[in-house]
Amino acid sequence: METGEELELLRDLGCHLGQGYLFARSLPATDAFW
């Protein structure tokens, strides 16, 4: 998700997990921590 409006809509629909530019930029796989 990219906007606060998208976040609000998904929360209203019961979604409690998300990802996207609203939270953080994409990372190369070599930089991701698991």
Side-chain angles (χ1 to χ4, degrees):
M1 62 193 78
E2 295 185 13
T3 67
E5 291 83 12
E6 290 173 339
L7 173 60
E8 186 177 331
L9 174 62
L10 290 170
R11 284 183 175 166
D12 289 346
L13 292 171
C15 181
H16 301 288
L17 298 174
Q19 65 181 27
Y21 282 106
L22 182 63
F23 303 111
R25 300 181 82 178
S26 300
L27 294 174
T30 55
D31 293 345
F33 52 93
W34 300 67

